[in-house]
Amino acid sequence: MNSEDIRRGFLNYFKTQGHKIVPSSPVVPHDDPTLLFTNAGMNQFKDVFLGKSKRSYTRATTTQKCIRAGGKHNDLENVGFTSRHLTFFEMLGNFSFGDYFKEDAIRFAYDISCHVFGFDPERIWASVYEEDDEAFEIWKNYLPEKRLVRFGKSENFWAMGDTGPCGPCSELLYDRGKKYSDATSPIYDKTGERYPEFWNLVFMQFNQDETGKMTPLPKPCIDTGAGLERVVAFVNGYDNIFLTDVLRSLIAEVEDLSKIKYDEKNIDIAPAFHVIADHIRSLAFAIADGAVPSNVDRGYVLRKILRRAFRYGKILNFEKPFLAKLLPRLNSLMGKDFPELKDNLDRTAEILTMEEESFIKTLQRGGNLMNGIISLAKKEKRMILGEEAFKLKDTYGFPIEEVTLLAKDEHLQVDLKKYDELEKKAKEISKSAHEKVHQKFDENFFADFTKTHKPCEFLGHNIFESESRILALIQGSKFVDTIKENDLSIIILDKTPFYAEMGGQTADKGQIFLNENIFEVEDTQSPYPGVIVHIGKMKKGKLSKQEKIKTKIDIKRRKKIEANHSATHLIHWALSQVLGQHIKQAGSLVDEFRLRFDFDHHKAVSKEEVRQVERLVNEKIRENIKVKEYEVLYEDVLKDPTIKQIFGEKYSDKVRVIDMLHSKELCGGSHTSYTGDIGYFRIFKESSIAAGVRRIEALTGEGAEDFSYEKEDLIDNISSKLKVVPQKLEEKVLSMIEDNFELNQKFKKLQKEKQGDLLSVLTNKTEKVNSINILMEKVDLDPKQLQELSQDLLNQLKSAIVVLASEVDSRCQIIIRVSQDLIDKKIFANDLIKEIAPIIQGGGGGKKDSAQAGGKEFAKVDEAFEKIKQILIAK
């Protein structure tokens, strides 16, 4: 049986048992900042298990793409050298959210193991938690008691964290026979080679509090996981996971490309085949799901995986980028069940090749630096310092693995202890740089309030005024009964038309008033579920708790926000059309002045592409499409690729869709009624904000018009000053550039002639001090000319010290050059410059043959020259 057979057989079995087949979540967990990569099937259901969200189904099954290559679960360095470690794998799983429990979970697992996987029932064992008598008794219906074992908490008890859902687990084990061990039971199989686990069943039945006390959950849950690749290996009797169909096929492709035959027993080259076959899957799936190699977080891990694959490729004689050549084979193997591979094939290939080319340059640059470090270490008869190795890696991106390999070739050691210290320190600094976003309000402040008050109701995006009641007034950190004129306060109402800031859309502003009593709302927030706070200042009069008041938002401002928000949806769609379907929103900001849209993309957006995006958006504005809004089930969204969702957002069972015909997106914000209400659209800036993340800033309506007028005015003003019509402006500017170039060349020629004349004059001003030729003179030259003339003088004089000083922008510049014969006599330019720099109230430095200083006091140059003479006399 191959991977596809087992994958589909597993999912179809659970479908017949009333389970919802849920697509794999992205391997990049955009909605869970605690994870670098998705590393288990339950990750996408975490909020369901925690009771924070619900699904329309209570039974689910998945085959989840997983990467374990960073953080707590990190198999990276083992991959290639063992028969079972992988960075990328598929996790088959079935889940129950308060539906069935142990009895059905065990029945399903045994049934699939025998009838879908095709395992010999006589070779199946099961382990249970030592105190879980219930699971032990259920297993006795399927397995003889002699093939049931009990283990302690470290092996057979699972917890989501220090607190929260937890419970015992049961593992299915497969007896691979005596050739792996003489152990007669998993209890005695210390290496786990004879009785490896292939399926883990977690019984979430308790909630653990801060004290460690466990109380039964009202609705226990099931979370199971079975590694597909391991199952395939056991089913087919393979000792090595790299002999399974998908990985072996990728190895065959590497054989074809490298013209080197794979031999699993050849310890010199087999690891290279294993590393490449495994790593290309991690890279392809991560990039397809929105990650890009970079120097931070998961991007750093991805870059590390890519560079590791390339380094092992060198063992197989790959000297040029080759990873992208494996993608067509991977797509043919897994693309049917994971179409994102095919959809992102070209982009993934481009990113891999760019990264490999960059790494080749890094190796070349770092190799030259490494040679210098090796020479110095040999000369000084020492190991390569940890500081040197860390600088190569941190500053130049030269891998520590490459450093140690090259050092070994030269019979040198590397101070890895110091290197690890510096690496750890750098990681701590990086970690502390990630500032946590603190809420503006303490959540606990509103907890008691929500227990005695109904949730504050947002009246909707099409209601701009209301009659409401004041539920609470807050000043500072206290609830008060009345607020008076000029008080900075917070008002909580029973219902409100004010939109609280969220989803990138800025908050509404406006007024809360009662007759002549006016409260100016400057901000609206939702700091706690069910609470909407209106922040501002009592402009006139006073307001009291429980009073009936009127509200009115700033409608003109809201309309501008709506236009900008609807434009972000059209940008998202247009970028997908122009750059590719990989485009995913990475953040946004929408206010009344402009809009900002961040998105995943691996390179700068060209001027032509920006223009295409603008044209597409304006085209849809002119079409004046009706903007529809409606609610659908979130599970239906997951099946509809035309509806975009924002990664990082948490969605409930029912979600709101904003539909502009071409653009469909989940969104809770305010929008125009028709795309024509946006008016006009212009992009004024495109930039990079992080590795693999671009930002577009744009304007709509009057703002876009003003932007266009400003550009027109600029062209008109320049044309007027140059006395040419705008249509001839480019021609005029090109002519001026050409004229300027010619004048510049003439000026340089004159300068050179001046320097030549100066050279003749100055060579005759040489004097001898203590039998040493020395030339010291003040000249009227810029720093570059100073450099050139001093070198020309030294070339002419052969043996001499040349000291030139010039006043540039009210500052003194001094340069000293020393010929080699005088350097041999221990006269160094950098020593001389250090002596005279304080005289001109400055500082400087350089090398033995050339040094410079800058200072404030040009008037003291003669004193500095005299100091040099004294030093030479003393020699």
Side-chain angles (χ1 to χ4, degrees):
M1 293 179 74
N2 64 26
S3 300
E4 190 174 284
D5 294 334
I6 291 175
R7 181 192 299 123
R8 292 182 180 180
F10 181 90
L11 295 175
N12 288 333
Y13 172 89
F14 277 109
K15 185 178 181 181
T16 65
Q17 301 297 322
H19 289 63
K20 175 79 175 174
I21 298 179
V22 179
S24 170
S25 65
V27 78
V28 178
H30 298 277
D31 58 349
D32 190 345
T34 66
L35 289 174
L36 278 175
F37 296 101
T38 300
N39 57 28
M42 63 80 64
N43 289 163
Q44 68 168 308
F45 303 114
K46 186 176 174 182
D47 280 357
V48 182
F49 287 128
L50 291 170
K52 292 181 178 179
S53 67
K54 292 181 180 179
R55 301 284 173 94
S56 60
Y57 46 84
T58 56
R59 298 181 174 203
T61 184
T62 68
T63 176
Q64 175 64 51
K65 305 171 293 186
C66 298
I67 291 179
R68 289 186 178 174
K72 180 181 175 184
H73 301 289
N74 185 1
D75 293 336
L76 182 59
E77 297 307 322
N78 292 319
V79 173
F81 298 95
T82 72
S83 61
R84 55 185 176 155
H85 281 103
L86 299 169
T87 59
F88 177 91
F89 63 97
E90 286 182 65
M91 181 80 82
L92 303 170
N94 60 290
F95 308 88
S96 165
F97 312 120
D99 191 322
Y100 61 84
F101 200 46
K102 293 180 185 179
E103 190 168 340
D104 282 339
I106 290 171
R107 174 171 63 86
F108 293 149
Y110 183 76
D111 195 17
I112 282 191
S113 296
C114 296
H115 301 114
V116 176
F117 297 163
F119 285 142
D120 179 355
E122 299 301 315
R123 298 171 72 177
I124 296 174
W125 289 62
S127 70
V128 299
Y129 178 51
E130 58 190 0
E131 298 176 13
D132 193 356
D133 296 330
E134 181 186 3
F136 193 89
E137 291 301 316
I138 296 170
W139 269 118
K140 284 165 65 176
N141 296 323
Y142 305 98
L143 298 174
E145 194 167 338
K146 66 179 182 180
R147 279 192 274 128
L148 298 175
V149 292
R150 294 177 185 262
F151 286 120
K153 204 166 187 176
S154 60
E155 288 90 0
N156 278 70
F157 197 90
W158 180 91
M160 191 174 285
D162 295 334
T163 61
C166 60
C169 55
S170 177
E171 293 185 341
L172 281 79
L173 316 169
Y174 189 66
D175 181 0
R176 296 203 291 169
K178 289 184 178 180
K179 76 171 183 176
Y180 293 95
S181 166
D182 292 329
T184 56
S185 161
I187 294 172
Y188 310 113
D189 184 22
K190 301 303 180 186
T191 63
E193 288 295 325
R194 176 168 178 176
Y195 302 94
E197 168 257 328
F198 67 89
W199 200 343
N200 187 22
L201 316 178
V202 177
F203 310 128
M204 289 190 214
Q205 63 184 101
F206 302 110
N207 185 61
Q208 182 170 283
D209 64 18
E210 292 85 352
T211 65
K213 181 183 177 182
M214 289 186 288
T215 54
L217 289 170
K219 288 187 176 182
C221 298
I222 292 292
D223 159 29
T224 85
L228 173 63
E229 292 80 4
R230 183 174 287 197
V231 170
V232 175
F234 294 169
V235 165
N236 290 286
Y238 298 139
D239 294 338
N240 189 336
I241 207 162
F242 289 96
L243 298 179
T244 56
D245 57 306
V246 173
L247 291 165
R248 185 61 186 87
S249 183
L250 289 168
I251 286 172
E253 186 70 15
V254 177
E255 287 180 294
D256 290 344
L257 292 170
S258 66
K259 310 302 180 192
I260 296 174
K261 193 72 178 169
Y262 169 67
D263 178 1
E264 64 171 303
K265 293 182 172 57
N266 186 331
I267 60 171
D268 293 324
I269 63 168
F273 283 100
H274 298 164
V275 166
I276 294 165
D278 168 74
H279 288 11
I280 190 61
R281 296 207 301 170
S282 286
L283 291 164
F285 277 100
I287 292 170
D289 284 341
V292 289
S294 69
N295 288 327
V296 293
D297 301 329
R298 64 175 65 97
Y300 173 73
V301 176
L302 209 57
R303 180 166 282 167
K304 193 173 180 181
I305 292 171
L306 185 144
R307 291 183 169 187
R308 189 170 189 261
F310 186 82
R311 282 192 298 106
Y312 277 93
K314 291 176 73 178
I315 294 172
L316 302 179
N317 299 327
F318 289 114
E319 296 296 334
K320 294 180 180 180
F322 69 94
L323 291 172
K325 295 176 182 178
L326 298 170
L327 294 176
R329 179 71 71 99
L330 177 61
N331 182 54
S332 69
L333 293 165
M334 302 184 73
K336 288 180 184 176
D337 290 328
F338 301 100
E340 60 271 26
L341 285 176
K342 183 179 179 182
D343 294 342
N344 291 276
L345 201 60
D346 292 342
R347 174 175 173 269
T348 303
E350 186 178 359
I351 290 173
L352 290 177
T353 303
M354 284 171 58
E355 278 291 316
E356 287 175 283
E357 288 171 346
S358 172
F359 188 44
I360 290 168
K361 291 175 183 174
T362 294
L363 290 176
Q364 291 169 344
R365 184 173 67 247
N368 294 332
L369 293 165
M370 184 68 186
N371 290 336
I373 289 170
I374 287 171
S375 298
L376 189 61
K378 281 185 170 182
K379 184 179 178 182
E380 297 179 358
K381 296 179 181 180
R382 60 167 173 80
M383 65 167 55
I384 291 173
L385 303 176
E387 291 87 348
E388 292 171 328
F390 180 75
K391 186 176 181 180
L392 279 169
K393 178 259 173 189
D394 192 56
T395 306
Y396 301 103
F398 199 68
I400 186 63
E401 297 87 355
E402 203 74 22
V403 173
T404 53
L405 284 171
L406 290 172
K408 189 177 180 182
D409 291 343
E410 297 291 336
H411 307 291
L412 289 170
Q413 290 184 318
V414 181
D415 185 353
L416 292 175
K417 184 180 178 182
K418 183 64 178 178
Y419 171 87
D420 289 338
E421 286 175 12
L422 294 168
E423 178 81 343
K424 185 180 177 182
K425 187 178 178 181
K427 285 179 179 177
E428 287 171 356
I429 293 169
S430 175
K431 188 177 178 182
S432 65
H434 290 281
E435 295 181 358
K436 292 182 179 178
V437 179
H438 297 284
Q439 290 184 315
K440 293 181 180 178
F441 302 95
D442 181 357
E443 288 188 358
N444 295 326
F445 184 79
F446 297 102
D448 292 337
F449 177 82
T450 58
K451 292 175 184 176
T452 56
H453 295 81
K454 290 181 180 179
C456 179
E457 178 190 359
F458 173 59
L459 294 171
H461 298 281
N462 298 316
I463 296 176
F464 309 127
E465 302 179 18
S466 73
E467 291 187 359
S468 307
R469 182 184 294 276
I470 296 175
L471 297 182
L473 298 166
I474 302 168
Q475 270 192 292
S477 58
K478 293 181 180 179
F479 287 98
V480 297
D481 293 327
T482 303
I483 56 173
K484 299 184 291 297
E485 198 164 309
N486 293 323
D487 283 349
L488 299 173
S489 312
I490 293 171
I491 297 178
I492 303 176
L493 305 173
D494 61 342
K495 55 189 176 183
T496 181
F498 285 83
Y499 181 82
E501 180 181 349
M502 67 182 77
Q505 180 177 322
T506 193
D508 276 329
K509 296 182 180 182
Q511 291 185 340
I512 295 172
F513 56 95
L514 175 61
N515 300 323
E516 300 298 316
N517 304 287
I518 301 170
F519 180 84
E520 203 74 43
V521 179
E522 292 296 331
D523 193 10
T524 312
Q525 298 287 330
S526 181
Y528 193 82
V531 177
I532 298 175
V533 298
H534 306 77
I535 306 163
K537 184 177 182 179
M538 197 69 209
K539 190 175 180 181
K540 185 179 179 183
K542 64 179 182 176
L543 289 173
S544 299
K545 186 177 169 183
Q546 294 303 322
E547 280 185 326
K548 286 186 177 180
I549 50 80
K550 292 183 178 182
T551 69
K552 185 176 182 179
I553 70 167
D554 185 335
I555 300 171
K556 187 176 179 181
R557 180 176 177 273
R558 165 75 82 82
K559 290 297 180 184
K560 290 179 179 179
I561 294 169
E562 289 175 351
N564 284 335
H565 200 157
S566 293
T568 62
H569 285 221
L570 290 179
I571 288 175
H572 199 172
W573 165 78
L575 285 167
S576 298
Q577 301 301 303
V578 175
L579 303 180
Q581 293 303 311
H582 66 276
I583 295 296
K584 293 181 177 70
Q585 182 172 332
S588 68
L589 174 68
V590 175
D591 61 25
E592 70 270 38
F593 303 110
R594 64 184 176 121
L595 61 97
R596 192 178 76 200
F597 187 83
D598 302 336
F599 58 99
D600 296 329
H601 193 54
H602 58 287
K603 60 182 180 181
V605 183
S606 69
K607 183 180 178 181
E608 291 73 20
E609 289 166 335
V610 167
R611 190 65 55 84
Q612 281 181 270
V613 170
E614 284 185 328
R615 286 189 183 282
L616 281 172
V617 172
N618 282 312
E619 179 183 295
K620 299 310 162 193
I621 290 172
R622 287 192 297 273
E623 287 178 15
N624 200 25
I625 301 162
K626 182 172 177 57
V627 179
K628 300 174 186 174
E629 60 172 273
Y630 47 84
E631 288 191 338
V632 296
L633 292 173
Y634 182 58
E635 64 180 278
D636 292 334
V637 171
L638 295 174
K639 294 182 289 188
D640 188 347
T642 66
I643 301 176
K644 293 184 182 294
Q645 53 181 303
I646 310 305
F647 291 108
E649 292 288 329
K650 301 286 185 181
Y651 295 109
S652 55
D653 282 352
K654 279 192 173 183
V655 289
R656 178 173 177 252
V657 177
I658 297 297
D659 185 342
M660 302 182 193
L661 191 61
H662 305 280
S663 163
K664 296 177 185 177
E665 221 171 280
L666 299 188
C667 183
S670 307
H671 288 273
T672 58
S673 300
Y674 291 85
T675 57
D677 298 337
I678 297 170
Y680 182 46
F681 170 81
R682 289 298 305 270
I683 293 170
F684 69 86
K685 187 177 181 183
E686 191 278 338
S687 61
S688 170
I689 59 167
V693 183
R694 309 297 301 181
R695 170 172 289 172
I696 276 180
E697 296 175 73
L699 302 161
T700 63
E702 291 179 16
E705 288 176 7
D706 290 342
F707 174 71
S708 297
Y709 293 150
E710 285 170 11
K711 280 199 161 189
E712 284 180 26
D713 291 344
L714 180 63
I715 291 169
D716 287 342
N717 290 338
I718 295 171
S719 299
S720 176
K721 284 182 171 61
L722 296 179
K723 295 181 172 56
V724 65
V725 295
Q727 290 80 0
K728 296 282 187 179
L729 180 60
E730 184 178 13
E731 184 183 326
K732 178 69 173 177
V733 170
L734 290 173
S735 173
M736 290 175 68
I737 290 171
E738 189 176 334
D739 290 346
N740 186 59
F741 177 77
E742 290 175 2
L743 287 170
N744 198 36
Q745 292 300 106
K746 288 179 181 178
F747 178 73
K748 283 181 179 178
K749 186 180 178 183
L750 288 170
Q751 286 289 94
K752 202 70 180 172
E753 289 173 359
K754 178 185 174 184
Q755 278 180 232
D757 294 342
L758 200 53
L759 183 67
S760 301
V761 173
L762 292 178
T763 48
N764 295 319
K765 293 192 176 183
T766 307
E767 57 182 304
K768 282 190 181 291
V769 177
N770 201 3
S771 301
I772 297 168
N773 290 326
I774 183 165
L775 170 62
M776 296 185 288
E777 194 68 37
K778 289 182 275 188
V779 292
D780 182 18
L781 297 173
D782 64 34
K784 186 181 178 183
Q785 293 166 339
L786 210 59
Q787 290 261 12
E788 292 172 353
L789 181 61
S790 61
Q791 185 62 58
D792 289 343
L793 285 165
L794 192 62
N795 292 341
Q796 187 105 347
L797 295 170
K798 308 297 184 191
S799 173
I801 298 171
V802 175
V803 186
L804 297 181
S806 179
E807 188 173 18
V808 181
D809 297 329
S810 302
R811 284 184 60 82
C812 178
Q813 294 286 325
I814 296 180
I815 186 166
I816 299 177
R817 291 193 186 274
V818 178
S819 58
Q820 185 59 48
D821 62 314
L822 297 179
I823 292 173
D824 295 338
K825 293 179 181 179
K826 306 301 181 186
I827 299 173
F828 303 143
N830 51 344
D831 287 346
L832 294 173
I833 210 79
K834 285 176 186 174
E835 292 289 338
I836 66 169
I839 296 172
I840 59 170
Q841 292 188 27
K847 298 177 182 178
K848 294 176 182 179
D849 63 335
S850 176
Q852 296 181 73
K856 298 177 183 177
E857 290 288 340
F858 184 73
K860 293 191 175 182
V861 167
D862 290 334
E863 188 180 332
F865 287 172
E866 190 60 36
K867 177 70 174 178
I868 292 173
K869 283 185 180 180
Q870 291 171 9
I871 293 169
L872 295 178
I873 290 168
K875 287 278 184 183

